[in-house]
Structures are given as C-alpha cells and as structure tokens.
Amino acid sequence: MNNKFSKAVIKRLISSLITLFLLISLLFILIRISPGNPTQKFISPELSPEIAKKVAEDFNLNDPLPEQYVSFVTNLIRGDLGISYNYRMPVIFVVWEFLSFTLVIAAISFLVQIIASYYLAVYSVQKQNKTTDRLISNLSLIFYSTPSFVIGVILIYLFAVQIDLFPTSGFVSLDYDSLNFFEKILDKIHHLILPLITLSITGIALFYRYLRDNLEDIYQQTFIMQLRANGLNENTILRKHVIPNAIGPLISVAGIELGILLSGTLITEVIFSLPGMGRLTIDSILTRDYPLIIGCTFAAGLLMILTNFFADLLKLKIDKRLLRGNVI
Amino acid sequence: MKFKLKIWQLISALWLLIILLQFNRLIELAVLWIKYFLLCFNDFGVAISLLDFKLLDSLLALIFFIVIPLLLISYRRRIKFLNYKLNFSNGVIIILLITFLMAPIITSENPDFQKNLSVTKHLTPLSKVKVLHLKIEDNYESTLLNKFLIYKREIIREVFDESIIYADSMGEMAPDKIIYYQKNIMKELPVEKLIENNGIPLITTKTFLLGTDEFGRNIFTRLVYSLRISLLVGTGAVLISFLLGITMGFIAGYKGGLIDTVFNRFAELFLAFPVIYLVVLILALFSSSLIAVVIILGISGWMSLFKIVRGEVASLKQKDYIQTAKLLGIKTNRILFKEILPVIIAPVIVNLIFQFSNVILAESALSYLGLGAGDSYPSWGAMIQSGQEYITKAWWMIIFPGGCLVVTLFTANYFGRRINKFFNPRLDK
C-alpha cells in the first residue's frame, strides 16, 4: 500500500515537472515570437549602452537560439528572472514581496468560501424545496454569473460611498504608523472586508452549487432510505452518512477553484488597489516592465502547478480507489 | 397565472414598440435605402466605394426589420419555438438578438458622439436638454451623389456634428437672435443660422434615457453598441475554441498513442494555468486589438471541449458500428462527421454555451483592466471602469453596464443549464 502510494506520488511529481517545463517553454516561445527585439524585453531602455551590453551578455542574448533557450531555462530554475525596470530590484524579490499578500488574502478567502458554502448548502438541503432553499439557489446562480468587478464596484458604491462604513481602496489608513498593534490589525481587517466579500462571493456560489447538488444526489440514493427505515434520525443521517459522501468530489472542484481564485485576486486587487501580485502584473503590463511581467506569469503558473499537485495528493489520501486504477 | 405568454407575442410586442418609438428613424432609413438604390443605378462604382460598415449596417438593419417578421409569419408552422412558453432567459435572448441585429434602428446616435461637454457631462438618467439645429452651408452642386452624401450625414451620425448645439435652457425670445444658456453662461446666436420650421426656429428637446458619461456620450447608445462587441467577441472566440477543441479532440481520441499524450499534456498545462494571466501576458507582448482579444480568448478556452471530445471519441472508437464502418472502408473524415459528431454534439453544445458566457466575462474583465479592445469600441467592462472614477457622483455609469453584463451572463448560464437538463433528463429530478 505504502509502496503504491509513493509510486503514485512520484508519478504526479513527474507530471507536474513536465507541466512546469512546458510552461517555461511556452513563455520562451511567446517572448521570442512577439514583435520587437527580445533584448528590449530584458534590458531597460534607460540603461546606458555599456551596461545594456553587459546585461545582454549576462543573459546570453547574443547567442544562438538553442543556447538562449538553455540559459533561459536554467535562469528561471535558479530564480534569476532579471531586474525590474520600475523597482530596480531583482524580479524575484519584487514578486515575493507582493505574492505574500496575495497568498494570505487568497487563503483567507478560500477558508471563507468553504465554510460559508458548507453551511449554506447543508441549510438549504435541510429546507429542500422550500422558499428559502429556492431563494438561496437562485441567488447563487445570479452571484455565480456576476463578474467580481461588478460586485466590487457595487459594494464600494453601497458601503463606502452611500454609507461611509468601509474605505474605498488601499490596504492601510494614512495614519497607520501612529496606531498601536491592535489598532493596526483592526485597521487592516477594516480595509480587507470588502475585498474579501468580492473575492469570496463567486466561489461561495460555485461551491454551494456543487455541494448542494452532491447532497441532493446522495439523498436520492437507496441507502439513505434504508437508514431512514432503520429509524435513524435525520440529523445523524446527514452528519454521519450524507456529508462524508458529498465532500469527496469537492476536492477536485477546489483545485479548479484555486485557478479562479488567482484570477479573482487579480481583479479584486485592481478594484481596491491592494498591494498584491495581480495589481503588480497589471501595473507591470501598463508600464511595459517585461521582466516583471514574465516573472509574475511564471509565479502564477508555478503556484497553480503546486496547488494542483497538493490537491491531487489530498485526493489520493482520501480516495483510496485512485491508487488501484490507472487514473491520473 | 392562467394566461401564459408565448415567444411570438414577445416578438410582435417588440416590433410594435420599435415602430411606435422609432417610426421616424425607420422612415429615414427607408429614404436612405431609396437614395442609395437610385445612386446604384446612376453610378455603380461610386455607390460601391461608399459602402462602408456603418452604411451597410444601417441598410441591413432595415432589411432585418422587414424580412424577419415576414419569414417568421410565412414559416410559422415549421418554427416550433415561436409557440414556446416565454420565460426570463428566452425573453432576454430574443431582446439581445434583436438589439444586436438592429442597433442602428434602436438608437440613431453614434456611440462616441460628444458635443458641448459643459452641458452634457454626467447627465442623470431621463434628463432633458435643448437641441438647436443649425443650417449647414453647402455650396455643392446638387447632384444625386451630393444629395445622398448630405442625407447620409444626417442619418448615420459621425463622431462630430457641426449642425447641432446642446443647451441647458432657452432665454427670452428676441426677434433677430436666439439666447440660450450653457452652464449658466448666456450665449446668443443670430436667428438666420438656425433651420426654420414654419417660420419658427427649429429647437427640439432631447432626452438622455440612461444619462451620459464623463465625455457627454449617451450611455444608452454605448450600451447597445457594446452589446454587439460582447456578442461578437463571444461568438468569435467560441467558434475558435470549437474548431480547435473538436479537431484536436478528434485527432487525440481517434489516433491515440503519442499524439494523444502530447495533446493531453498541453491541455493539462493550459488548465493548470490561471488563464487570465496567460491572456494578459499575450496581450502585453502582442498588440491588443479586438481581433487579438477574440483569438486569444478562443485559444485559451479549448481545453474543456478537447477533454470532452477526446474522451467520447476514445470510447466510441471501440464500438461495433464504428469498427464496422472502418472495415467497410469508409474514410476517416466521413466516420468522424457522420458517425461520431452527431453522438457527441449534445455535451459539446452545452459546453459551448458555458464557454460563451466565460468569454463574455473574460472580455469585460479585460476591458475593465484596460487591456481589452481599447477605446476604439465601447465595452461594458471599460464603461464600468470609467464609472468607478466617478462613483461618488454618477451611479448610472456603473449600474446600467453592470446590470447588462449580469443579465447577459445570467441568461447564458441559465440557458446552458436548461439545455443540459434537456439533453440529460436524468439530471432533472
């Protein structure tokens, strides 16, 4: 069993590595076939010609294509992504600084999504086909099809402009430095409430739909009838038998949801002008900071590959059937 | 409710509404048609060279307006959906399609038209302004061509129009001059400069149904035209995804082996990537134009279709009737199109509808981020973005485009779910 498990893990590790390799190749091809000289994508036009020449040599930009490719791959693997034009720092430090914020907010939002959708789904399946259930169901479809930026802007209009309850944008107040420790935390929470709602609402709707459909599916099955015939009360059936069966398929949805979440943070950070990787990406594009653009894209791809890998491992851990079959 | 509305009732109501509200516009377009027709007989070469997109659009809109009801009436027994029950998604789809086809009839303005910013900036919905119509001095010969050109200029509005002035209110009447106010500044104009109608200078009132934006552009007109952009981008991108997904899925599923593995790996790569980052990267490296947006969104959406087609083809390949067809010597293309495609069409259609809503969402998100088709076309996302800057004083700049977007996406999702239930009745418990 253990042997099988480690085999499956290694298999997924190799497949993730191949995907990573393909991602790097895709980036290289995209940079090469895009119009314009590739040197200008690594060297700021403001640099003096001598330094530009030196950077070009450092990045092997004058070598033939295959060697450039090799050095591109090795540079990326070593984490050397060049120097950002705007920040005048190695790209990897800039990305890391902004990435941490995105990771934190994405993780909080993920938790919020799971908890809220879980309770909503369980509540609405208990009230099956009653008005509240229908209301929540229809609302979830509406929220699912509402773009996050529309939700964000409407939230700003309602809660920041009409009733001055939350700030419209930013991460900290102007007088942040004069606050004590608890006030600092409160200030940050105060700033993060609207972005978190914006980021989570689509995910809540998505999870809710899946979970509710799953729960309903399981309620239709015969073993539930049998349990009822045995005289178990509804609460025990729900907690002991329905929910454990419904949670399993949710993990693969969670893997997909992480991709949506990452795109969602991009837009949410732009709406509320928060210091995260999404806004960094957009800013770097609008200012044509090519090393930073490539760095951000690479980081996002890497993050996705990693999370998918761990989601796969989790699935393996929970669903032992996957070990038996040859299913990837 | 006992009385259920049918789809044909909605369509006829919409037609009546257009005739009632835009009767003048219809007449104008008809006259334009006749003039163009005469010009065609007179000088065919010039007429063809004049035919640009806007003219064609206006001419076609009138044809659609006349031909579609005739077709529907003459084939009313064959077309079953006319007698379907009307519900929210059906109704919205029909309204969207009619708006898409007949934008020039529904609104007579150019979406980028701006004039007298001091008067028209940030007007609330349903606000009224006065319009002064000036005489256009034309010293041209009165040939058929010039007459047509002058008339066309009146009907198909350009971005600039010298012949009208917007004013907040009119001052007292003087015998030889007109007094009007623009933001409390009094201005005057000699009477003879205005077009006269029965001896009275022609001054009309114009209502901005949904208000104006920061450049004094009519939001209603912009909404109508950005609907076209959204639907066009959606259709184009879905078509590209469809072609890519179907071909690659067929090849991978039918051939199997190395090609299958390679394609599958590619699909995994694209799936494992937050697509918006990829799209943003490509738009940054290449130029961002409408065509580029369509192509990129199309390319970034083929994976789910590929997975469906590949899986279905791989399992169908083992079936007896496909094996028999193969042994009979039927060509591979024919097997794919005649035997396999009809079987897999249901999940493909459902997937395409969801894909359509995803693409519209992505396009609006891109234009919200300032990476879409640019300022050359009105777009709901871009309208919301510009509205966010004026969020404290102009709520209508956000609510209306946002509402349009939500309604469109909701309809697409809802319609997709219904189609899914229709194809898989087991889901409908």
Side-chain angles (χ1 to χ4, degrees), chain A residues 113-144:
Chain A
Q113 288 173 22
I114 298 268
I115 294 168
S117 57
Y118 173 81
Y119 281 107
L120 274 177
V122 169
Y123 176 78
S124 88
V125 93
Q126 278 173 333
K127 303 255 181 238
Q128 215 165 352
N129 290 332
K130 287 191 185 141
T131 331
T132 39
D133 174 36
R134 292 232 179 103
L135 190 72
I136 298 177
S137 271
N138 284 332
L139 274 183
S140 81
L141 193 58
I142 290 178
F143 278 123
Y144 177 65

